[in-house]
Amino acid sequence: MTARPYHHGGLRAALVTQAEATLRTSGIDGLSLRELARELGVSHGAPQRHFRDKAALLDALAIEGFGRLNEMLARAADVDDGHAFAWTLTDVAVAYVRFATEDPALLDLMFTHKHQADASDELKAAANAGLACVVAMVERGQARGDLVDGDPQSIAMVLFATLQGITSFANADIVDPQSLDELTTYAVELLLGGLTPHPDQSPINSTFIPALCEKRPDPAQS
Amino acid sequence: MTARPYHHGGLRAALVTQAEATLRTSGIDGLSLRELARELGVSHGAPQRHFRDKAALLDALAIEGFGRLNEMLARAADVDDGHAFAWTLTDVAVAYVRFATEDPALLDLMFTHKHQADASDELKAAANAGLACVVAMVERGQARGDLVDGDPQSIAMVLFATLQGITSFANADIVDPQSLDELTTYAVELLLGGLTPHPDQSPINSTFIPALCEKRPDPAQS
DNA sequence: ACCTGAACACCGTTCAAGT
DNA sequence: ACCTGAACACCGTTCAAGT
């Protein structure tokens, strides 16, 4: 009975765990329901009782991934150790990029959206929960006076997007792992340069780039 | 003979074209060599003469995609119409995000790196060529005095990464297409705020975030 | 040189049947 | 309730054989 614990209710969890491992080591192409079943000593029809689809299993993996991501994000964003805000932000950024870079196939699953409309809502909610941590950080920064005013949601989105892009490049071998942390830190510096209000200047959109506030030809057909 | 032009040398091109169309409409999961062959009125063994692997065909598609991307990028980056640098940069950014958002499956193929070591070099070169356009733009901006000094490669990387991240979010339905251009423009604004030198201040890393320049505990274990 | 078509091993999915 | 195992339709890949 201890030898085959999957037969009395644990199969679903075992499938997810095993799938995660296979995904991490062999990528999405190395993941097949039949081999999963084989590895767990179960017939190839068994998984369907718990995941109607292969897509359903993949969705479960993505949701699991978001769970871990958000947990880590919340932990990283909650350290208010009295250090400069820039430090905290840099820490969160580096932590995120490392997480996302550790398991490229999982990250793909999380953000690639070849999901069924079914779990799509749950996934979108999970993604938004992650974003919410960053939004909260931004609001804290604004309250402190360390960040420009402006829609926290948008600011968080840009921050998060930059990290996501760096991750994407890292996973595509466009940046090498060696200089990954450095690039992440640099990105935060550049963004903070824009996000940090400066005593002698008004915020970006009124003084720094006045041109952008004037009416101008539609950039569409460029 | 005009009815089946694939049989005398045109098969390879026909496969790529057809595959691009299928990829755009049905995603990566809807793309099979056998159906491709069927649609082109050719036996299922025929494609192997031109692409030893399914992966090889996918690599060809990715390279094609980079070709179009880089062409567009070069065109967009070359308009030096005397407008403010911020405008040009915004135009390029919006153009890139639109391109990358038009064909999500292709973009995945381009940046997801489940490629064979074979074409990996060619793909990396293609990606770098795209980056080079942005680097050139950055250098132009620096020469004009519109951008802070600093390694153009790194600056371009951060710029490009931000757009890539926004694209990723858009393709994952985390941002809706409606506000996509707006978010892209806002991202450029935020980045430029950091990238634009201000008369009364020294560059970011010496004045704006002095804390980052001091020695401090390793952010690793956060 | 290029394509055909049978063959092989592997999928995902369904479903009656077992316990 | 949960799992089995045969069945079905579809893959990618290989390879002798054709033209």
Side-chain angles (χ1 to χ4, degrees):
Chain A
M1 17 185 91
T2 50
R4 317 178 71 191
Y6 344 98
H7 290 224
H8 26 284
L11 220 202
R12 195 198 145 99
L15 281 165
V16 170
T17 304
Q18 184 69 29
E20 267 168 353
T22 306
L23 185 70
R24 182 180 279 103
T25 52
S26 311
I28 187 81
D29 289 336
L31 192 65
S32 94
L33 286 179
R34 282 180 111 110
E35 193 180 356
L36 232 46
R38 241 176 276 132
E39 288 167 345
L40 294 177
V42 114
S43 92
H44 66 260
Q48 254 82 4
R49 211 43 61 166
H50 302 92
F51 302 100
R52 114 172 81 81
D53 251 348
K54 185 181 185 181
L57 173 60
L58 263 32
D59 288 343
L61 290 182
I63 290 171
E64 263 274 317
F66 271 119
R68 276 185 295 165
L69 169 66
N70 292 345
E71 195 184 339
M72 185 224 61
L73 224 46
R75 221 176 28 238
D78 266 358
V79 279
D80 201 349
D81 50 4
H83 281 329
F85 181 76
W87 286 10
T88 312
L89 188 60
T90 304
D91 286 349
V92 173
V94 168
Y96 175 73
V97 170
R98 284 187 184 170
F99 173 93
T101 265
E102 233 166 43
D103 197 341
L106 178 60
L107 201 87
D108 257 43
L109 232 49
M110 289 164 60
F111 287 102
T112 252
H113 187 61
K114 42 188 158 225
H115 308 289
Q116 35 196 24
D118 201 21
S120 183
D121 288 345
E122 195 170 351
L123 274 170
K124 232 180 290 184
N128 280 345
L131 193 64
C133 294
V134 185
V135 171
M137 261 196 84
V138 168
E139 282 167 342
R140 201 138 40 92
Q142 288 177 325
R144 271 180 172 225
D146 287 335
L147 287 182
V148 248
D149 292 332
D151 177 30
Q153 180 84 17
S154 300
I155 294 176
M157 197 80 115
V158 173
L159 274 167
F160 208 172
T162 304
L163 303 183
Q164 182 74 5
I166 289 175
T167 296
S168 172
F169 286 169
N171 288 348
D173 273 356
I174 295 174
V175 308
D176 70 324
Q178 278 259 281
S179 51
L180 187 56
D181 287 358
E182 199 182 352
L183 180 63
T184 305
T185 303
Y186 187 56
V188 173
E189 283 182 39
L190 286 184
L191 280 162
L192 275 182
L195 289 167
T196 307
H198 315 115
D200 306 325
Q201 317 238 177
S202 5
I204 320 160
N205 43 5
S206 62
T207 306
F208 293 4
I209 339 171
L212 277 172
C213 301
E214 303 168 17
K215 219 171 113 194
R216 70 185 191 97
D218 182 16
Q221 57 257 47
S222 69
Chain B
M1 15 183 93
T2 50
R4 316 179 70 192
Y6 344 97
H7 289 223
H8 26 285
L11 219 203
R12 194 196 145 99
L15 280 166
V16 170
T17 303
Q18 184 69 30
E20 268 169 352
T22 306
L23 186 70
R24 183 181 278 102
T25 51
S26 311
I28 187 79
D29 289 336
L31 193 65
S32 96
L33 286 179
R34 283 181 111 108
E35 193 180 355
L36 232 46
R38 240 175 277 132
E39 288 167 344
L40 294 177
V42 114
S43 91
H44 66 260
Q48 255 83 4
R49 214 38 66 162
H50 302 93
F51 301 99
R52 114 171 83 81
D53 251 348
K54 186 181 184 180
L57 173 60
L58 263 33
D59 288 342
L61 290 182
I63 290 171
E64 264 274 316
F66 271 118
R68 276 184 294 164
L69 170 65
N70 293 345
E71 195 185 336
M72 186 223 61
L73 224 45
R75 222 177 26 239
D78 266 357
V79 279
D80 202 348
D81 48 6
H83 282 328
F85 181 76
W87 287 10
T88 312
L89 189 59
T90 305
D91 286 349
V92 173
V94 168
Y96 175 74
V97 171
R98 285 186 184 173
F99 172 93
T101 265
E102 233 165 42
D103 197 341
L106 178 61
L107 201 87
D108 257 43
L109 232 50
M110 289 165 59
F111 287 101
T112 253
H113 187 61
K114 42 188 159 225
H115 308 289
Q116 34 196 26
D118 200 20
S120 184
D121 288 344
E122 196 171 349
L123 273 170
K124 233 180 291 185
N128 280 346
L131 194 62
C133 293
V134 185
V135 172
M137 260 196 84
V138 168
E139 281 166 343
R140 202 140 38 92
Q142 288 177 324
R144 270 178 173 227
D146 287 334
L147 287 181
V148 248
D149 291 334
D151 178 29
Q153 181 85 17
S154 300
I155 295 176
M157 199 79 115
V158 173
L159 274 167
F160 208 172
T162 304
L163 304 183
Q164 183 74 5
I166 289 175
T167 296
S168 173
F169 286 169
N171 288 348
D173 273 357
I174 295 175
V175 306
D176 70 323
Q178 279 259 282
S179 50
L180 187 56
D181 287 359
E182 199 182 352
L183 180 63
T184 305
T185 304
Y186 186 56
V188 173
E189 284 182 38
L190 285 184
L191 279 163
L192 275 182
L195 289 167
T196 307
H198 316 116
D200 305 326
Q201 317 238 179
S202 5
I204 319 161
N205 44 3
S206 62
T207 306
F208 293 5
I209 340 174
L212 277 172
C213 301
E214 302 168 19
K215 220 172 111 194
R216 69 185 191 98
D218 183 16
Q221 57 258 44
S222 69

